[in-house]
């Protein structure tokens, strides 16, 4: 589709005017530093603004520039990312910082090709950082942008299908304000966050309602079109908190893959018809080489990841025999309960941490 020039101009003007008057005051909007803008965009990629603010401020305090980040150890970076999820973002960003130090003399590249070659940088991050920090004329496409565009232009391509990405990208490029792409991109995302919300869009307050086809047709709720996703699989796990005198066993996940590089209590999937307690002993033996006995059932937790859900039965166990010989995890430590906060751990483990501490103190 082609947007008539005059219409595109009017939409641009209305959007940026609205944005300048209504934008939220956010810490990353008070800086022109490409590194700081990069940090914020990585965090915002999968996470709500309100959650990101505190993480962003802590991260910038700890790693105020790219050199500090490049010289930090990965565990310290993951610790500051703890709870934010999608840990590959942190690992890739750390690797990208090292690359910037080596290949670009510590300066965030202002050229598209050099920037998008860095670890973890895809089209969204490259478009956001290059337009906001360097004024490059590239359009951003995220969930908010897709929703706004789908409604204004009644786009029937499913927004959650990867093959639709190029359709949204091309429309966003047509609409982009080439004189101030950074402001324009932020304006569309802000409109999606504050006005053109997923469930109840505030069309009466919307600066682009005069050009919005879905509004004119009284059917904003019909857009964006989405294809139905398959039901999310559910796994039942057993997790063992293994005590050896006053120390606890934690293991480190492989650096690549889900929750890579984080520490956790060992566990795994319970087999069909297998009692959870027996599964726990089996899994501990298979994954850590350690023989254990179960002392008590601590709790049951539930947790949802993007592509599956888990229910985990957590057991307090006692070491009974054997030395640690890992199969799966890439490292282990015997730590005191007081030392646990030093290690970056996944949210699912934090869900039973308070109960564990109470059990330890009894
Ligand atoms: S008029 Fe309504 S549906 Fe259209 S862009 Fe604005 S808020 Fe979204």
């Amino acid at each position: 589709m082609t947007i008539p020039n005059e219409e595109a101009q009017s939409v641009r003007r209305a959007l940026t005017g609205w944005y300048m008057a209504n934008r939220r005051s956010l810490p990353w909007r008070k800086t022109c530093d490409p590194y700081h803008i990069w940090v914020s965009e990585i965090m915002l990629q999968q996470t709500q603004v309100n959650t990101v603010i505190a993480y962003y401020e802590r991260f910038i305090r700890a790693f105020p520039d790219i050199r500090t980040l490049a010289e930090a150890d990965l565990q310290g970076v993951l610790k500051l990312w703890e709870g934010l999820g999608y840990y590959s973002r942190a690992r890739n960003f750390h690797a990208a910082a090292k690359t910037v130090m080596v290949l670009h003399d510590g300066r965030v590249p202002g050229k598209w090709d050099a920037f998008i070659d860095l670890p973890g940088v895809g089209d969204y991050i490259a478009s956001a950082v290059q337009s906001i920090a360097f004024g490059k004329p590239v359009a951003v496409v995220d969930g908010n942008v897709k929703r706004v565009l789908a409604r204004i232009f009644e786009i029937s391509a499913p927004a959650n299908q990867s093959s639709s990405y190029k359709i949204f990208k091309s429309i966003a490029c047509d609409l982009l304000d080439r004189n101030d792409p950074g402001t324009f991109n932020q304006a569309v995302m802000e409109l999606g966050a504050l006005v053109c919300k997923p469930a109840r869009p505030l069309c009466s307050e919307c600066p682009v309602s005069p050009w919005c086809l879905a509004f004119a047709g009284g059917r904003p709720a019909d857009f964006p079109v989405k294809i139905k996703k398959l039901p999310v699989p559910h796994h039942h796990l057993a997790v063992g908190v293994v005590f050896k005198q006053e120390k606890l066993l934690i293991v480190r996940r492989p650096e690549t893959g889900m929750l890579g590089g984080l520490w956790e209590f060992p566990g795994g999937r319970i087999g069909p018809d297998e009692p959870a307690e027996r599964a726990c002993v089996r899994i501990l033996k298979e994954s850590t080489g350690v023989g254990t006995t179960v002392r008590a059932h601590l709790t049951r937790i539930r947790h949802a990841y993007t592509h599956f859900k888990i229910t985990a039965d957590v057991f307090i166990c006692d070491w009974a025999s054997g030395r640690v010989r890992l199969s799966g995890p890439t490292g282990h430590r015997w730590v005191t309960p007081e030392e646990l906060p030093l290690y970056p751990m996944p949210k699912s483990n934090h869900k039973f941490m308070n109960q564990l501490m109470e059990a330890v103190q009894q």
Side-chain angles (χ1 to χ4, degrees):
M1 71 175 278
T2 320
I3 309 163
N5 243 339
E6 216 169 289
E7 182 183 341
Q9 285 277 20
S10 307
V11 172
R12 270 176 216 135
R13 227 177 287 127
L15 256 173
T16 46
W18 170 84
Y19 175 69
M20 297 313 284
N22 295 283
R23 64 183 169 175
R24 290 167 290 181
S25 166
L26 300 169
W28 48 88
R29 287 185 177 156
K30 296 175 187 144
T31 177
C32 301
D33 185 325
Y35 164 73
H36 291 196
I37 291 167
W38 190 4
V39 172
S40 70
E41 290 299 337
I42 294 173
M43 290 184 170
L44 287 165
Q45 221 180 349
Q46 314 276 358
T47 316
Q48 300 283 325
V49 165
N50 288 343
T51 309
V52 166
I53 294 172
Y55 279 94
Y56 170 84
E57 288 178 333
R58 271 199 301 272
F59 199 90
I60 296 295
R61 263 199 305 278
F63 311 118
D65 50 47
I66 205 147
R67 174 184 293 277
T68 333
L69 176 62
E71 289 172 356
D73 71 83
L74 179 61
Q75 188 161 313
V77 177
L78 288 173
K79 186 67 197 165
L80 281 181
W81 211 270
E82 196 178 39
L84 207 49
Y86 301 96
Y87 295 90
S88 60
R89 295 182 296 178
R91 290 195 310 271
N92 284 330
F93 190 33
H94 187 232
K98 287 175 188 249
T99 309
V100 168
M101 291 310 298
V102 173
L103 295 185
H104 304 290
D105 204 18
R107 275 189 284 274
V108 177
K111 290 212 162 71
W112 176 272
D113 288 347
F115 189 65
I116 204 159
D117 268 355
L118 295 170
V121 176
D123 189 75
Y124 170 81
I125 291 290
S127 304
V129 174
Q130 292 294 310
S131 65
I132 298 168
F134 298 107
K136 297 286 162 66
V138 276
V140 159
V141 174
D142 72 349
N144 280 329
V145 173
K146 282 195 230 172
R147 184 170 60 258
V148 171
L149 296 180
R151 287 172 174 167
I152 298 178
F153 301 108
E154 290 202 332
I155 299 167
S156 54
N160 59 345
Q161 198 168 44
S162 52
S163 58
S164 303
Y165 186 83
K166 56 181 184 300
I167 298 172
F168 285 97
K169 181 82 180 180
S170 136
I171 294 167
C173 285
D174 280 358
L175 202 57
L176 183 71
D177 181 348
R178 279 154 204 280
N179 295 319
D180 192 354
T183 302
F184 177 83
N185 280 332
Q186 292 181 86
V188 188
M189 291 190 277
E190 194 77 336
L191 189 80
L194 300 183
V195 177
C196 194
K197 299 177 184 199
R200 264 182 237 100
L202 310 171
C203 299
S204 59
E205 297 169 23
C206 179
V208 298
S209 61
W211 302 277
C212 179
L213 295 179
F215 174 62
R219 49 190 212 129
D222 293 350
F223 296 92
V225 172
K226 290 198 173 163
I227 44 167
K228 280 214 171 66
K229 291 205 168 145
L230 294 171
V232 180
H234 175 260
H235 305 305
H236 190 186
L237 311 183
V239 173
V241 180
V242 182
F243 279 81
K244 191 176 184 188
Q245 289 153 0
E246 75 284 9
K247 294 209 169 174
L248 309 166
L249 177 62
I250 55 172
V251 295
R252 188 166 189 261
R253 295 178 67 91
E255 276 208 4
T256 50
M258 203 184 142
L259 307 172
L262 264 62
W263 293 83
E264 65 182 4
F265 294 105
R269 278 202 220 173
I270 298 173
D273 302 324
E274 188 179 25
E277 189 172 321
R278 196 185 307 158
C280 184
V281 173
R282 171 186 63 76
I283 290 161
L284 290 172
K285 184 76 186 163
E286 286 172 2
S287 63
T288 70
V290 165
T292 54
T293 55
V294 170
R295 194 195 309 168
H297 182 252
L298 179 69
T299 187
R300 170 175 277 192
I301 58 119
R302 291 184 172 78
H303 191 68
Y305 295 99
T306 319
H307 299 299
F308 63 92
K309 293 178 183 172
I310 59 161
T311 299
D313 279 302
V314 186
F315 295 94
I316 303 268
C317 303
D318 291 302
W319 172 86
S321 63
R323 293 177 54 163
V324 175
R325 275 192 311 276
L326 299 173
S327 160
T330 55
H332 82 280
R333 296 260 200 291
W334 289 100
V335 298
T336 61
E338 294 72 31
E339 287 168 333
L340 281 173
L342 298 174
Y343 293 85
M345 298 182 96
K347 222 176 198 168
S348 58
N349 278 210
H350 280 286
K351 283 190 169 171
F352 58 82
M353 206 57 87
N354 287 345
Q355 280 153 297
L356 175 60
M357 290 306 144
E358 279 167 24
V360 165
Q361 281 153 16
Q362 276 169 11

